[in-house]
Amino acid sequence: MTLSAATPEFIEKLMTALPDGTISEAPAGYLSEPRDLYQGTAACLVRPRNVEEVSIAVKLCYEYGVSIIPYAGGTGLVGGQVADIDPAPILLSVERMTAIRAVDPDNNTMTVDAGVILTDIQDAADQADRLFPLSLAAEGSCRIGGNLATNAGGVQVLRYGNTRDLCLGLEAVMPDGSIYRGLKGLRKDNTGYDLRNLLIGSEGSLGIITGATLKLHAKPAKMATAMTVVPSPEAAVKLLQVMQSALDGLVSGFELIHGTSLEFLADKLPDVRQPFADRPDWMVLIEAGGGEDARLDERMLSALEGVIEDGLVEDVLIAQNMQQRQDFWSVREHIPLANRAVGAVSSHDISVPVSAVPEFIQTGFDAIAELGDLRVNCFGHVGDGNLHYNVFPAAGLDRNDMLDKRVAIKKLIHDLVHQFDGSVSAEHGIGRLKVADLETYSDPTKLAMIKAIKTALDPKGIMNPGVIVRT
Ligand SMILES: Cc1cc2nc3c(=O)[nH]c(=O)nc-3n(C[C@H](O)[C@H](O)[C@H](O)COP(=O)(O)OP(=O)(O)OC[C@H]3O[C@@H](n4cnc5c(N)ncnc54)[C@H](O)[C@@H]3O)c2cc1C
């Protein structure tokens, strides 16, 4: 597939077809991404105000064979929203599409434009006395179109699922500019292929999401949050089952935190308050939310005290107020920042079956130790089997001296994930970063289907070229 340059004639056509102020040069901030791994190019930035304007822009791109990079909040971690390709693509941002189109508390749904910031959706749900449970550290910047395009996970997947599970209907502009109007708020709709779920997680490679009908949940009347010291990842996995039974399946967050995370926090972000005076090797942050159960924290404490005798838990703190709850979460949420300040040699967003987590962690520790002076910081949503398994130089060594080991480390971890029947991208997607990994570790028939779908829906290959499928 040959892509065309966005010639002055093409830009002129775009400017004539769309209202004044829609097209501009792309400021530098749109051409980089959070980890500075990619630097993009763009012939121009297009910022439409509604689905019709998106459709006009995409139709012209289709006609001229000009490629498009869909852009929402710019927080993606696999380089999907920035592209250094020749000829330069247009960057199409949904940031001006920020309407909350409708809230239907009786149907437990909210219909929104793709450019609404995630926290604004959470707030709108709250005002309707409902919960939109998607929550992640980038929530003040990322937009729902980007969350859907990457099928974001976050800290409450255990109870409420990924973004995919929180979406009932979609509106999208397809690569030829046609509009798919699928904004239905139905829980049951067995009318052929599930196009909504095809577009969710497609990272802008099949079309541009312009609107969504989201699923709302009842607001838990009471939250209970605990920070626990556990002796090992084995104990953490057993504890998860104990807590789910004791709390009737109300556990919504179950985050494993490694001693190395705490060491990095103490070193790089000393203002983050650490819950235990003696730094433990392993902690688990547990959160549960209950409908009417005002005594949820008492039940949580009693369940945790019960397992201290069995050795599953060594120490417990229950949050007594909102400030303490925030302090606990602050520890978890600042780990990526501390990691960045230390500088990883190689980072991995992986998942394995929950039952395999302890063996995976230990096998990885042993294998990494054989590669040299390295240390692992391993933390994450262990209730979903999702770990951020990041490898750093040993204390006192510099990351730049170890970069020659990056390829070997990545291969080692990803081979191990494959061996444990896991996924080399649990949350962040494939983007441009993991295309080779997808090719290496996927089932061949899955790969063939992915390519066939891409070719059928985007025959000219203009939609986010190089993402998921190699061009
Ligand atoms: C600090 C931090 C913490 C994070 N924590 C988590 C976490 O706990 N769990 C998790 O799952 N993820 C996490 N992420 C990743 C997060 O899920 C994504 O960054 C976010 O969902 C992307 O949204 P965005 O609006 O920034 O999209 P962008 O970064 O703008 O785009 C991401 C991808 O989606 C495509 N895209 C954007 N908008 C559209 C659209 N309207 N239609 C079609 N395609 C589109 C882009 O082309 C790109 O491929 C974290 C990221 C950061 C920076």
Side-chain angles (χ1 to χ4, degrees):
M1 283 170 283
T2 313
L3 296 169
S4 303
T7 57
E9 180 207 341
F10 168 78
I11 303 272
E12 186 62 37
K13 284 231 166 183
L14 262 186
M15 291 179 89
T16 310
L18 292 164
D20 282 355
T22 308
I23 323 281
S24 65
E25 278 189 13
Y30 288 81
L31 303 174
S32 61
E33 44 80 50
R35 293 200 279 213
D36 288 331
L37 295 177
Y38 293 89
Q39 195 66 40
T41 53
C44 66
L45 172 66
V46 183
R47 290 183 296 162
R49 291 166 187 79
N50 53 49
V51 61
E52 283 75 23
E53 290 182 11
V54 176
S55 167
I56 289 169
V58 175
K59 261 188 194 138
L60 271 171
C61 288
Y62 185 73
E63 190 186 327
Y64 281 76
V66 172
S67 62
I68 307 166
I69 312 298
Y71 191 96
T75 69
L77 294 174
V78 286
Q81 73 279 27
V82 287
D84 181 13
I85 50 176
D86 186 20
I90 71 156
L91 204 58
L92 192 147
S93 167
V94 292
E95 71 195 61
R96 283 181 173 158
M97 299 172 60
T98 55
I100 301 220
R101 299 191 200 174
V103 182
D104 183 347
D106 290 339
N107 195 39
N108 270 316
T109 51
M110 185 193 297
T111 299
V112 297
D113 277 356
V116 185
I117 288 188
L118 178 54
T119 45
D120 291 342
I121 293 177
Q122 294 165 348
D123 291 348
D126 190 56
Q127 279 162 25
D129 199 28
R130 296 289 184 274
L131 174 76
F132 183 66
L134 181 64
S135 175
L136 45 101
E139 63 196 18
S141 316
C142 58
R143 298 172 189 272
I144 193 70
N147 302 141
L148 287 158
T150 57
N151 185 30
V155 292
Q156 303 208 79
V157 171
L158 188 56
R159 176 133 174 233
Y160 299 102
N162 293 296
T163 311
R164 187 185 295 292
D165 304 295
L166 301 172
C167 177
L168 294 171
L170 270 193
E171 177 191 82
V173 173
M174 304 311 288
D176 63 357
S178 59
I179 302 176
Y180 165 55
R181 298 188 193 272
L183 285 179
K184 291 187 175 180
L186 302 176
R187 266 90 183 162
K188 290 190 168 178
D189 179 13
N190 276 341
T191 51
Y193 299 144
D194 191 340
L195 302 180
R196 169 197 53 178
N197 269 327
L198 186 58
L199 286 163
I200 295 173
S202 66
E203 301 180 56
S205 66
L206 298 179
I208 299 178
I209 296 168
T210 52
T213 298
L214 304 171
K215 200 193 279 183
L216 304 180
H217 285 265
K219 235 168 40 176
K222 179 83 184 167
M223 298 298 291
T225 311
M227 194 65 103
T228 62
V229 176
V230 294
S232 62
E234 284 88 343
V237 167
K238 285 195 182 121
L239 181 62
L240 172 63
Q241 304 312 325
V242 171
M243 296 311 286
Q244 286 287 35
S245 300
L247 299 175
D248 308 325
L250 294 177
V251 177
S252 53
F254 199 86
E255 299 286 315
L256 184 70
I257 299 174
H258 189 208
T260 308
S261 301
L262 303 175
E263 191 186 319
F264 288 180
L265 282 170
D267 185 22
K268 300 293 179 189
L269 299 171
D271 289 343
V272 174
R273 190 184 303 181
Q274 300 220 6
F276 299 101
D278 293 330
R279 199 179 299 148
D281 284 342
W282 295 102
M283 300 196 309
V284 176
L285 171 58
I286 308 171
E287 186 155 270
E292 299 302 317
D293 192 347
R295 293 185 311 106
L296 195 64
D297 43 5
E298 286 170 34
R299 286 174 62 198
M300 183 181 267
L301 181 60
S302 142
L304 287 167
E305 282 174 346
V307 289
I308 284 183
E309 281 173 24
D310 305 335
L312 285 190
V313 169
E314 293 173 342
D315 206 348
V316 178
L317 288 171
I318 299 276
Q320 299 300 321
N321 50 45
M322 189 50 86
Q323 183 58 53
Q324 274 185 349
R325 176 179 178 237
Q326 282 167 1
D327 286 349
F328 291 174
W329 276 107
S330 168
V331 173
R332 167 62 184 87
E333 281 165 1
H334 281 93
I335 295 171
L337 277 181
N339 281 350
R340 206 166 166 207
V342 175
V345 183
S346 187
S347 303
H348 314 92
D349 157 44
I350 59 96
S351 65
V352 294
V354 177
S355 52
V357 164
E359 195 187 342
F360 173 84
I361 290 178
Q362 192 53 51
T363 313
F365 280 1
D366 296 343
I368 290 290
E370 285 186 14
L371 278 187
D373 285 337
L374 297 160
R375 56 188 160 164
V376 177
N377 185 13
C378 148
F379 62 99
H381 319 299
V382 73
D384 317 319
N386 174 199
L387 297 171
H388 300 297
Y389 204 89
N390 300 343
V391 181
F392 295 80
L397 295 178
D398 193 279
R399 161 183 190 261
N400 292 322
D401 298 332
M402 311 296 267
L403 287 178
D404 58 333
K405 294 198 186 293
R406 174 181 275 170
V407 173
I409 295 170
K410 199 167 278 295
K411 180 165 179 347
L412 185 156
I413 300 297
H414 284 176
D415 283 356
L416 199 60
V417 167
H418 190 58
Q419 193 184 313
F420 277 80
D421 231 354
S423 165
V424 293
S425 185
E427 291 201 301
H428 300 158
I430 296 298
R432 295 187 162 75
L433 185 67
K434 293 190 175 177
V435 175
D437 293 314
L438 183 72
E439 290 169 350
T440 305
Y441 298 105
S442 277
D443 169 67
T445 306
K446 171 179 170 169
L447 270 185
M449 285 196 279
I450 286 178
K451 284 184 184 158
I453 290 167
K454 170 75 177 171
T455 309
L457 293 186
D458 183 17
K460 293 191 176 181
I462 61 170
M463 207 49 85
N464 219 353
V467 159
I468 300 180
V469 180
R470 205 182 284 270
T471 44

